[in-house]
Amino acid sequence: IETLDHFEVTDTRLNRALTQAKFVSSVTEADKIIKSNGVSVFVVPSGEEVALTGPAHKLAAGDYIVRAGKKYRFVSVQVNAST
């Protein structure tokens, strides 16, 4: 985990979290990669994979290892009242 890039995101929606964590440059690009099953999300520290429901899947506050394509990043989701 220490060797992965760390990002804090404030939007709990998966497609926007991918954009905030700089996996992709746009929400549309995030939607495409999610719909093509190119994204996996794992809870830290248990390693349990999150069952994704679609691009707007809401992540709970917490820490995750996210894989999009061949990129892996450590992502901390911070709950924001506006999401």
Side-chain angles (χ1 to χ4, degrees), residues 20 28 39 54 56-57:
Q20 287 182 5
T28 302
V39 176
H57 178 89

Side-chain angles (χ1 to χ4, degrees), residues 53-67:
T53 58
H57 178 89
K58 290 206 174 201
L59 297 169
D63 295 332
Y64 301 91
I65 299 291
V66 179
R67 179 194 58 80

Side-chain angles (χ1 to χ4, degrees), residues 5-81:
D5 290 335
H6 286 62
F7 290 88
E8 285 191 10
V9 299
T10 55
D11 198 319
T12 61
R13 293 170 290 187
L14 181 58
N15 54 0
R16 283 159 176 79
L18 289 178
T19 305
Q20 287 182 5
K22 306 202 185 310
F23 278 108
V24 293
S25 58
S26 70
V27 173
T28 302
E29 193 177 344
D31 289 347
K32 287 178 185 175
I33 196 169
I34 294 165
K35 288 177 182 175
S36 69
N37 296 320
V39 176
S40 299
V41 179
F42 303 92
V43 178
V44 173
S46 72
E48 179 181 336
E49 186 168 4
V50 176
L52 304 176
T53 58
H57 178 89
K58 290 206 174 201
L59 297 169
D63 295 332
Y64 301 91
I65 299 291
V66 179
R67 179 194 58 80
K70 294 182 179 180
K71 300 176 195 171
Y72 285 83
R73 299 217 166 101
F74 181 90
V75 177
S76 290
V77 177
Q78 308 295 322
V79 174
N80 186 331

